[in-house]
C-alpha cells in the first residue's frame, strides 16, 4: 500500500482515516445532510463508503483524508479524490461536519488537496460532480476557480461537473 500523506495547512491537518472517525462519518452519511452524496445511507452502505475511501489508497494511489483542526484535534470533515469504475474522471470532493460549516475549512482543505494531486500525483485533470441543488458546494467550487463543464462525462446525467484549474505556482 502506498504511503498515505498527511498535509498541513494553516489551520488543518489532512490525515489518513482511522476507526475513531467512523461514528461521526456514519452519522453524517445516515442523515439528511448526505442527500447530495446519494444519501441518506443505511449503516451498511455508509460502512461501504467509509471502506471505499480507505481502499482507494491501495487501489488507486489516492483516496480520502480527514480534516483535523490543528488547534483542537477535533475531526471536522473530509476531503477526497475519487476515481475508478464509478467515476469517469478524478473527482475532488469534500464535506465538513455541521459544527465546522461556514469557517472556510472545506475551501482550505480542498485547495491543499488539489495542489497535492496536481503537484505530487501528477493528475492531469480534476473535476467535482455535484447535484444542481447543492448550492454551497457549487459556490465553493467556483471560489476555487473551477468552471462548469457541460460536456464532461458524469456518473449521474443530472450532475453538474466543475473542472478545477491547476494551482498557480
Amino acid at each position: 500500500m502506498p504511503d498515505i500523506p498527511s498535509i498541513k495547512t494553516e489551520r488543518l491537518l489532512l490525515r489518513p482515516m482511522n476507526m475513531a472517525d467512523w461514528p461521526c462519518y456514519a452519522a453524517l452519511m445516515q442523515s439528511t445532510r448526505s442527500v447530495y452524496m446519494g444519501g441518506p445511507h443505511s449503516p451498511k452502505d455508509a460502512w461501504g463508503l467509509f471502506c471505499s475511501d480507505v481502499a482507494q489508497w491501495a487501489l488507486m494511489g489516492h483516496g480520502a483524508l480527514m480534516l483535523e483542526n490543528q488547534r483542537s484535534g477535533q475531526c471536522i470533515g473530509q476531503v477526497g479524490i475519487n476515481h475508478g469504475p464509478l467515476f469517469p474522471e478524478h473527482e475532488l470532493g469534500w464535506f465538513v461536519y455541521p459544527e465546522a460549516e461556514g469557517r472556510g475549512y472545506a475551501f482550505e482543505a480542498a485547495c491543499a488537496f488539489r495542489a497535492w494531486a496536481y503537484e505530487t500525483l501528477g493528475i492531469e485533470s480534476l473535476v467535482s460532480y455535484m447535484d444542481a441543488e447543492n448550492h454551497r458546494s457549487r459556490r465553493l467550487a467556483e471560489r476555487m476557480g473551477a468552471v462548469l463543464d457541460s460536456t464532461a462525462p458524469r456518473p449521474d446525467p443530472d450532475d453538474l461537473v466543475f473542472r478545477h484549474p491547476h494551482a498557480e505556482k
Side-chain angles (χ1 to χ4, degrees):
M1 186 152 140
D3 288 335
I4 300 174
S6 290
I7 301 168
K8 283 191 175 186
T9 68
E10 183 180 334
R11 301 177 295 166
L12 302 171
L13 173 63
L14 283 56
R15 59 153 177 83
M17 297 170 68
N18 61 56
M19 278 307 299
D21 299 322
W22 167 245
C24 289
Y25 183 101
L28 176 77
M29 290 303 177
Q30 293 174 68
S31 76
T32 57
R33 290 181 46 80
S34 70
V35 69
Y36 299 128
M37 297 179 279
H41 298 279
S42 69
K44 180 180 178 182
D45 289 344
W47 177 248
L49 293 168
F50 187 83
C51 291
S52 174
D53 289 344
V54 174
Q56 284 193 68
W57 284 106
L59 298 172
M60 305 296 217
H62 55 72
L65 297 175
M66 300 311 286
L67 315 181
E68 185 174 297
N69 182 312
Q70 287 191 58
R71 182 168 285 171
S72 69
Q74 179 182 9
C75 181
I76 58 171
Q78 185 190 74
V79 65
I81 297 173
N82 297 299
H83 198 229
L86 303 180
F87 297 91
E89 297 187 62
H90 288 93
E91 187 225 13
L92 177 64
W94 52 79
F95 66 77
V96 293
Y97 297 127
E99 63 276 9
E101 282 188 341
R103 297 184 185 148
Y105 293 129
F107 177 79
E108 188 175 326
C111 286
F113 206 39
R114 176 180 68 185
W116 178 84
Y118 283 146
E119 295 166 13
T120 303
L121 286 184
I123 289 177
E124 304 237 346
S125 179
L126 279 170
V127 298
S128 291
Y129 304 113
M130 63 189 70
D131 187 289
E133 297 301 313
N134 191 346
H135 302 293
R136 294 183 90 169
S137 280
R138 182 179 183 151
R139 283 191 302 271
L140 176 56
E142 290 169 343
R143 184 175 167 211
M144 293 176 67
V147 294
L148 197 57
D149 183 348
S150 60
T151 64
R154 60 207 73 219
D156 180 325
D158 295 327
D159 279 349
L160 299 177
V161 181
F162 283 85
R163 188 161 304 281
H164 289 272
H166 281 263
E168 295 191 22
K169 298 184 180 194

